[in-house]
Amino acid sequence: MPRSPEEGAGPGRLRRVGRGVVTRLGRAAVRHAGLLTLVGLGVALRVLATLAYVPAFSFADSFSYLEVARTGDAEVHRTWGYSGFLALVDGFLGFRYLVVVQHVLGVVAAVLVYALLQHRGVRRWVSCLAVAPLLLDGYVVMLEHYVMADSLYVLLLAIAVVLVLWHERPPWWAAGAAGAVLALGLLTRTVGLAVIGVVGLYLLVRLVRRTVGWTAVAATAVGMAAVVLPYVVWFHGHTGVYALSDYTGHFLYGRVAPFADCEKVDVPAGLRGLCPDGPEEERPNPDFFVWHPDSPANSGRYTDEDLREFSELVLRGQAMEYLGGTAGRTADYFLPGRTAGAHDSCAAYWWFPASHTHEAAGPLDCPAQLSRQGFELEPVEPVLRSAPADVLARYQDWVHTPDFLLGGLVVVGLSGLVPHRRRPRWRDNLDAVFCVVAGVALVAVPSATAVYDHRYGLPLLVVLPVAAALASRSWSRDRGAEAPAAAEQPPPVRPAVGSLT
């Protein structure tokens, strides 16, 4: 007798559905075996780090992040985004799990970038190469282990890039979400303002070419405003200033003091005390002039407005020295042979400390320090386990992204601008150029306002591989083979390009 509809919808049907899901997952695992392998290795590295270094690493900024997370007050030195993240983690987990969350964020960022490239039709092996640095670079894993905003910003940047580049014509909701995420990135690290400017220029170009509508542009602006404006009002309630932070003069002073020559600049008598002493080559780096108690900026005699006025006088009077120094520092992120200079941040902060920590730090004598304070500033007991720590220290020596490779990615990302008899897809090249410009802006801003620091180059591992991967599509004779544009000949068994399941 034939089965009734009720019988067909019983346990047998559920088993068939379950087998179908397992089959599809198995096929997806085979197709994306490269990504799964990289993720597995990346997770293993991060597990090793959580075993080797308990509970986390701390930097000079870490205390203020934790203090603001505890009090909920505005911080004049920096924006509140990462402190808000710390408060959120504190509400659900303990300090011991902070680095676990941050390591998860790093892996998620890599998977999002891979999904974007697959959706855009990039070959799987190229997509795997593009996300390998985010998953395997020793410096990336190290920075994820710090009580610092970098890992959160990398995830927000990856989300923003995916939202901006995913759609051929972005719908209003995606554009609005992109604007909100970009604004969250700005509140996490103020360098995010540079990316917002580049996104605005990118949307303007697409608007002129009529590949994006006014609705998407307006939605992006509304998404940003919905996040930034309440923050500015809140910051004013705490400080009396409508701004994101109120330390601009100090940061500018720190940037100009190492080269300021008051013999070349007409400095008012009331600001002459800000003129640094000694020859330029013997002066400390910008961090000293911003933070150290012996810096003229922290003598109590000058306001932030005074520091800004002095800095602007130096910038106008020694513009070529400033611009040349900024260009040189920016180029250092992409050129081989970079060695730490007297005015740079100490490189050893971002090295995994081995059991022989001070020997690893060498003459720089600035090894990474394990945290001794957690949430609510309660004391925590730091632990360094020698065996896994030594493995990670040796791993980082060999597995990291060299500067010249970043420079190569810039060249590849811009290659679509070179005229060719077989014209490549215009949008791929525009998007590649957008990612390159965003990457350069991400390191040009700290080069213009602070020191050269290896950690400032971490976001480059999000945007530059995407730029090179998109530009490389135009090189292939069968570039449409894996592209969504090939939908006119859909494969009979494969799912839509970009699906991870």
Side-chain angles (χ1 to χ4, degrees), residues 320-355:
M320 295 309 298
E321 293 177 52
Y322 171 73
L323 293 175
T326 298
R329 291 183 183 187
T330 302
D332 282 334
Y333 287 94
F334 307 103
L335 299 177
R338 173 73 187 188
T339 57
H343 291 170
D344 297 338
S345 176
C346 181
Y349 286 135
W350 322 122
W351 297 350
F352 279 117
S355 54

Side-chain angles (χ1 to χ4, degrees), residues 20-266:
V21 171
V22 170
T23 299
R24 288 192 293 274
L25 289 175
R27 290 173 179 170
V30 172
R31 283 196 306 275
H32 303 289
L35 173 67
L36 294 177
T37 300
L38 290 173
V39 168
L41 293 173
V43 169
L45 284 172
R46 288 158 173 82
V47 169
L48 197 62
T50 59
L51 295 175
Y53 309 105
V54 180
F57 292 113
S58 286
F59 190 60
D61 298 346
S62 301
F63 177 84
S64 62
Y65 282 127
L66 291 167
E67 172 68 14
V68 173
R70 180 181 69 88
T71 63
D73 295 332
E75 170 60 75
V76 297
H77 304 136
R78 54 184 60 87
T79 49
W80 196 78
Y82 183 63
S83 292
F85 168 76
L86 292 178
L88 185 63
V89 174
D90 184 26
F92 292 94
L93 303 167
F95 188 70
R96 177 67 178 84
Y97 295 97
L98 172 63
V99 293
V100 175
V101 174
Q102 293 187 163
H103 286 312
V104 170
L105 299 185
V107 174
V108 171
V111 172
L112 288 174
V113 171
Y114 179 88
L116 169 66
L117 295 178
Q118 286 294 281
H119 177 77
R120 292 294 297 269
V122 175
R123 294 183 180 278
R124 281 191 286 272
W125 67 270
V126 176
S127 301
C128 288
L129 287 178
V131 300
L134 279 175
L135 290 168
L136 304 182
D137 189 307
Y139 283 97
V140 173
V141 180
M142 173 60 168
L143 282 162
E144 290 171 3
H145 217 72
Y146 260 95
V147 184
M148 294 284 284
D150 300 84
S151 57
L152 176 61
Y153 182 72
V154 164
L155 176 65
L156 293 172
L157 178 62
I159 295 173
V161 169
V162 169
L163 288 170
V164 170
L165 301 185
W166 187 274
H167 298 277
E168 186 74 29
R169 294 184 66 89
W172 67 267
W173 60 266
V181 173
L182 287 166
L184 289 173
L186 171 62
L187 299 187
T188 301
R189 284 194 60 205
T190 51
V191 72
L193 183 62
V195 180
I196 288 176
V198 176
V199 169
L201 181 61
Y202 167 81
L203 291 176
L204 179 62
V205 172
R206 292 198 61 183
L207 191 64
V208 170
R209 292 188 62 92
R210 299 183 180 179
T211 59
V212 70
W214 278 107
T215 303
V217 176
T220 303
V222 169
M224 293 179 188
V227 175
V228 172
L229 291 182
Y231 179 86
V232 169
V233 172
W234 172 82
F235 188 83
H236 175 266
H238 283 265
T239 66
V241 178
Y242 288 106
L244 298 178
S245 66
D246 193 26
Y247 222 59
T248 305
H250 284 75
F251 288 123
L252 282 176
Y253 179 71
R255 177 64 181 87
V256 304
F259 69 86
D261 185 348
C262 289
E263 299 301 320
K264 300 179 181 179
V265 181
D266 184 15

Side-chain angles (χ1 to χ4, degrees), residues 445-482:
V445 169
S447 296
T449 59
V451 297
Y452 172 90
D453 194 330
H454 186 85
R455 77 181 176 95
Y456 292 149
L458 180 62
L460 295 176
L461 300 182
V462 175
V463 291
L464 293 187
V466 171
L470 292 177
S472 69
R473 289 190 62 213
S474 64
W475 301 350
S476 174
R477 292 181 181 277
D478 56 344
R479 62 181 183 274
E482 294 187 77

Side-chain angles (χ1 to χ4, degrees), residues 381-392:
E381 183 65 29
V383 177
L384 187 151
R385 296 186 175 94
S386 297
D390 291 348
V391 170
L392 286 169

